Amino acid sequence: MTEIFKKHWSEYKYSKNMLQDALIKHVMDLMPYRMSDEGEVLEIIMNIKESDEQSWINAWSNMAANLQNRAHKFEKAGKLISAGSSYLRASTYWRVSLMYFGDWQDPRMQEFSQRSKDCYDRALELNGYPGEAIRIPYENTYLPGHFYRSPYAKNKKTPLLIVIPGRDTWADDTIWVTDAAIKRGIHALTFDGPGQGMALRLQDLKFRPDFENVLGPVIDFAQKQEEVDSKQIGAMGMSFGGFLVARGAAFDDRLKFIISDPGNMNWGGMIAGRLEKALKMPAMIRPNMIDFVLKDYEWKHGATDKTIINELQKFDNTKIVPNIKTKTLVLDGSAEVTYGAAKKFYDALTCPKDYLLFDENSTAQQHTQMGGYATGTEYIMNWIEDNF
């Protein structure tokens, strides 16, 4: 394809801290879904110190608290649409305040998680958005999530898309996918699994490598919904979720298709290799960003400095990829942080498969189409419509 521009937006950085930069770009791209507003986000950015966890949580939560208070006043005054709008953005900022904050014993971890949930659910109600909170039975507890019924569904039994979030963002952040699905007459279901979002912070559930034992109960739940065509259920995993969904499909053939965004065959080995280098650095001289990432992985996987490498090495799909029989769409981006891994995964698949690369001309070339959600949904949903 002929190059349109010589410089590309993915080179622009809001922060030298890679994770903070990615999260900011993610929040900026939630604006079309009314989950953030430019002035608010830029105001927050101006008050964040690079790689500083306290300034991060304070800046985002201050804005969230301001919006939640405003929403309360609007609601009391009977201005329900305005209240719902403020609640929705407050929910986003409460969540994001915890995405670069690793003190899991801090009481704000649970408090802000609950506030995010409460604001989001209240916004759905006041805005009349077709979504409701759900609890998916899982072992001796549950997985929190949302079920979105498409108002455009043409039949009593309609296809369903299950959306699996990644390691850093939460189920509620996948709105760009679920909203696109319901507009096309497809129901959608999202959830926080072990190690993710609410399930981690409110229930202390940690990541597990045998994701088939997580995805299985979710499919069970989905098939029991009276509006869902049980033979027309697909699943899309984003970021780390793209690795997990492939693991689940290798042991469960009930899905019509899966989407791995981006594909990765040995996610754990790749991350373990990076963290091994970090562990060799004395803690006193370890850069803040690297130290945060190391501790964040240990928290979410229930590990320590001594066990984290061994734990991550369990997240390797190399041997079970040939077991995947479900049709698979593998997504990739020319600016992916793991560029090359998706194509390697695609080549190893023996099932019906498609590969989609977002290049610089698409403006969706970054990790999980971040910053290019509009473009991403157009191509992804076209494929989904063709495969349901």
Side-chain angles (χ1 to χ4, degrees), residues 185-369:
I186 300 168
H187 298 320
L189 183 155
T190 61
F191 68 97
D192 285 319
Q196 299 171 319
M198 301 290 180
L200 172 71
R201 292 166 178 85
L202 296 180
Q203 298 165 260
D204 198 34
L205 299 179
K206 305 298 174 62
F207 280 122
R208 54 188 294 180
D210 55 340
F211 192 72
E212 64 273 17
N213 291 315
V214 178
L215 185 59
V218 176
I219 298 174
D220 292 341
F221 178 89
Q223 289 185 325
K224 293 176 182 177
Q225 305 309 303
E226 62 180 7
E227 307 96 331
V228 173
D229 183 341
S230 62
K231 295 182 179 180
Q232 296 283 316
I233 299 176
M236 176 177 177
M238 303 161 67
S239 193
F240 183 33
F243 170 87
L244 295 174
V245 72
R247 166 79 193 203
F251 293 91
D252 196 322
D253 61 1
R254 289 179 292 171
L255 295 172
K256 183 73 178 293
F257 62 77
I258 64 169
I259 301 174
S260 183
D261 183 17
N264 194 309
M265 191 155 54
N266 185 9
W267 180 90
M270 175 190 67
I271 300 300
R274 296 175 181 176
L275 294 188
E276 277 186 304
K277 296 178 181 179
L279 285 167
K280 292 178 181 178
M281 302 174 65
M284 294 293 291
I285 64 171
R286 195 180 294 152
N288 288 345
M289 182 183 73
I290 294 177
D291 190 62
F292 170 82
V293 170
L294 174 62
K295 298 304 180 185
D296 192 59
Y297 273 95
E298 291 178 353
W299 168 41
K300 293 175 180 177
H301 287 268
T304 65
D305 282 2
K306 293 182 179 180
T307 63
I308 185 60
I309 300 303
N310 181 63
E311 184 62 28
L312 286 171
Q313 288 173 341
K314 297 176 184 177
F315 292 81
D316 183 355
N317 285 344
T318 304
K319 293 182 179 180
I320 57 92
V321 165
N323 297 343
I324 300 173
K325 306 304 179 185
T326 306
K327 185 168 186 178
T328 301
L329 171 63
V330 179
L331 301 181
D332 202 355
S334 56
E336 263 291 347
V337 292
T338 58
Y339 184 75
K343 190 60 167 60
K344 184 177 180 180
F345 170 63
Y346 171 80
D347 290 340
L349 288 168
T350 57
C351 59
K353 59 185 179 179
D354 288 314
Y355 173 81
L356 176 58
L357 172 69
F358 290 97
D359 63 12
E360 284 82 358
N361 286 338
S362 73
T363 70
Q365 67 268 33
Q366 291 217 127
H367 184 61
T368 63
Q369 299 80 59

Side-chain angles (χ1 to χ4, degrees), residues 12 34 39 61 95 118 140 143 146 173 188 234 237 283 293:
Y12 181 82
R34 301 191 303 133
S61 65
R95 280 196 310 282
D118 293 343
N140 61 345
L143 301 176
H146 286 89
D173 293 287
V293 170

Side-chain angles (χ1 to χ4, degrees), residues 56-68:
W56 178 274
I57 190 173
N58 289 336
W60 290 101
S61 65
N62 285 345
M63 184 62 73
N66 180 55
L67 286 172
Q68 186 173 357

